[in-house]
Amino acid sequence: MSKPGIKIKATELRVGMRIQRLGGSWMQHPFLRGRFILEDPADIQRIIDAGIQEVWISDGGDTTMNATLDDDALGMEAADVLAPPMVAEPVAAPPPAVAPAVARPKPARSMELDVERARKVCHNARDQVANMFQQARLGKAIDTQATLPLVDAIQAEVQRNASAILSVARLKAHDDYTYMHSVAVCALMLALARQLNLDEEQTRLAGIGGLTHDLGKMFVPLEILNKPARLSNEEFEVMKLHPAAGAKALADSQATPAAIDIALHHHEKVNGRGYPHALKGDEISLLARMGAVCDVYDAVTSIRAYKKPWDPAMSIREMARWDGDFDKRVFNAFVKSVGIYPVGSLVKLASNRLAVVVEQGGDSLLHPKVRVFFSLRSNEPIQANTLDLAAPGCKDSIVGPEDPERWGFKNLELLWQ
Ligand SMILES: [Fe+2]
């Protein structure tokens, strides 16, 4: 096992030092994880600019400054994040076929700020939904109109940067799944309503309906609701009672007909194979058809105790193949609202590199901003680099989505958060 080296502050770095390891996740900074000798003074500033505060240098380096040995310092290696072997030395420049958007990537400040703000809104919304749902579980009436300020706050984030809030809402902890799922479906419904050009009133109803669509799950026994495995057929039959239970609780609370309708019919399918009423086509209201798409997308892309999340772009591709489950017009608008390659998707580029989508590309669904981080030629991580596929002169493009599971990549969200 290699020696851990000496830990110093990044501000104490000097040219000539032999770097053993940089603090933080390698994916968050422009350097490769690995060892290298500091030869360029500009690299010191790049390390500081990347937000790296601690650096481990080898014993042979300059040790005159105030340094401390830290045997536990190696902690989690990048190998814990990415399964493929890490390189020990910096790797050469990206393949020549690619024209990087920037030579020295700067963090996308506005996206970072939007994600941070969206995270606060989502967590606040999750807590309010949890409160409301627990009131329902206790048999108390709930006030869906009281969620309006919350819906407006989520709507403001959707309008500011839909990708930011939709990506944040996709990330859930096991114990708050149902609440965060409600927030996510609310945000998806609002983004979809905008895409469908619904008026302000219908958009609000869609948002409220997203928040309350799964209220009935509060009446499902906890051992079924929180079961960390797939449900048996009998358990699934119990779970299928939640639309009617939610609709009844909403009706008892004098909720709007739209909220009741979305709760009751968000598991209907336009081909008539849904539940509880096996409605077909236009027998299902537009808001309930919207709820069906948003609900399924969020469910399949979320982490659950018994399944890995599907990659967002793979989910879009898969859902497009399901014959007759969704209203085609609604589904197409949904794809336009989240993107063919939603933020967080792992994609393969024509330059034989892997990247994660970090921002939607304005008018072009096929040309988002991506963070390139892995070379398929060398089968190794490379210097993470943000590339705007819609930028004039950019010669690279997306070949298709990739399954993160196949590559053993974990925590890809570190690349866009
Ligand atoms: Fe549901």
Side-chain angles (χ1 to χ4, degrees):
M1 191 174 166
S2 62
K3 291 171 73 177
I6 296 170
K7 183 170 77 173
I8 64 169
K9 293 177 184 166
T11 50
E12 295 171 328
L13 282 169
R14 301 288 181 273
V15 169
M17 287 182 175
R18 191 180 292 271
I19 290 184
Q20 291 248 53
R21 177 182 166 232
L22 300 167
S25 162
W26 69 273
M27 290 193 290
Q28 288 173 309
H29 56 66
F31 296 88
L32 275 174
R33 173 71 78 176
R35 301 167 190 176
F36 60 99
I37 297 173
L38 259 182
E39 290 174 331
D40 183 352
D43 278 343
I44 297 175
Q45 197 54 48
R46 292 176 69 201
I47 288 171
I48 293 167
D49 289 347
I52 297 164
Q53 294 177 348
E54 294 173 332
V55 180
W56 283 258
I57 60 169
S58 72
D59 291 355
D62 182 355
T63 59
T64 56
M65 70 292 295
N66 185 17
T68 51
L69 270 174
D70 184 351
D71 285 341
D72 295 321
L74 289 181
M76 189 183 82
E77 287 291 349
D80 296 334
V81 180
L82 293 180
M86 304 304 297
V87 289
E89 297 294 336
V91 165
V98 180
V102 283
R104 298 209 161 169
K106 291 178 184 158
R109 277 315 302 174
S110 67
M111 184 65 178
E112 282 176 15
L113 289 174
D114 289 345
V115 164
E116 196 45 48
R117 190 173 33 232
R119 186 179 288 119
K120 284 182 189 149
V121 170
C122 279
H123 288 177
N124 177 33
R126 174 200 61 195
D127 293 347
Q128 286 194 50
V129 170
N131 257 333
M132 179 170 66
F133 278 29
Q134 275 151 17
Q135 294 290 310
R137 179 177 273 148
L138 294 170
K140 296 182 181 169
I142 55 165
D143 182 4
T144 53
Q145 290 305 303
T147 63
L148 268 181
L150 188 55
V151 171
D152 287 345
I154 295 171
Q155 169 75 331
E157 295 309 310
V158 168
Q159 283 179 332
R160 190 193 312 273
N161 186 338
S163 286
I165 187 160
L166 296 180
S167 316
V168 167
R170 197 164 58 77
L171 307 177
K172 301 172 183 68
H174 173 61
D175 54 354
D176 67 11
Y177 174 80
T178 302
Y179 311 129
M180 202 59 169
H181 171 65
S182 306
V183 176
V185 172
C186 171
L188 289 165
M189 289 283 271
L190 290 169
L192 177 53
R194 185 170 65 160
Q195 194 65 47
L196 287 166
N197 287 322
L198 299 193
D199 63 25
E200 200 175 319
E201 176 62 14
Q202 287 290 305
T203 300
R204 276 194 172 159
L205 291 174
I208 296 173
L211 278 184
T212 56
H213 78 285
D214 260 348
L215 182 73
K217 288 202 172 160
M218 291 302 99
F219 307 103
V220 174
L222 286 175
E223 62 271 22
I224 294 180
L225 186 64
N226 295 331
K227 185 179 175 185
R230 280 192 194 287
L231 300 180
S232 67
N233 287 344
E234 294 74 26
E235 289 165 337
F236 189 55
E237 289 305 314
V238 174
M239 184 64 107
K240 280 165 73 174
L241 299 174
H242 81 269
K248 180 175 185 311
L250 287 164
D252 291 347
S253 301
Q254 271 83 51
T256 60
I260 298 167
D261 172 46
I262 293 169
L264 187 57
H265 292 135
H266 68 275
H267 285 289
E268 302 286 358
K269 299 176 180 176
V270 292
N271 57 16
R273 295 191 194 135
Y275 64 88
H277 299 135
L279 299 180
K280 279 187 183 169
D282 288 347
E283 292 171 358
I284 312 165
S285 70
L286 173 63
L287 289 175
R289 279 179 272 151
M290 290 165 61
V293 176
C294 299
D295 177 51
V296 168
Y297 174 79
D298 188 65
V300 297
T301 55
S302 296
I303 298 172
R304 304 302 309 269
Y306 54 87
K307 76 160 187 66
K308 296 265 179 5
W310 290 6
D311 176 80
M314 303 276 285
S315 304
I316 293 289
R317 192 173 270 207
E318 198 59 33
M319 285 169 71
R321 288 198 191 111
W322 294 349
D323 194 23
D325 277 20
F326 308 118
D327 179 316
K328 270 204 170 66
R329 183 175 75 94
V330 169
F331 182 73
N332 287 342
F334 178 80
V335 175
K336 282 185 188 161
S337 68
V338 298
I340 291 173
Y341 301 106
V343 168
S345 301
L346 179 66
V347 293
K348 181 180 171 184
L349 300 180
S351 58
N352 250 330
R353 301 181 297 171
L354 295 180
V356 167
V357 177
V358 295
E359 204 170 331
Q360 288 301 303
D363 293 338
S364 172
L365 293 176
L366 295 171
H367 303 100
K369 274 190 193 162
V370 297
R371 194 140 174 88
V372 189
F373 69 99
F374 196 87
S375 165
L376 293 172
R377 286 186 192 166
S378 60
N379 203 34
E380 287 170 343
I382 53 174
Q383 177 176 310
N385 186 25
T386 301
L387 188 61
D388 184 352
L389 296 174
C394 177
K395 295 187 174 65
D396 214 345
S397 59
I398 293 176
V399 175
E402 283 287 325
D403 185 1
E405 183 79 359
R406 184 183 150 225
W407 291 93
F409 294 154
K410 297 172 187 167
N411 300 332
L412 281 178
E413 61 271 16
L414 287 177
L415 283 164
W416 58 263
Q417 281 197 315

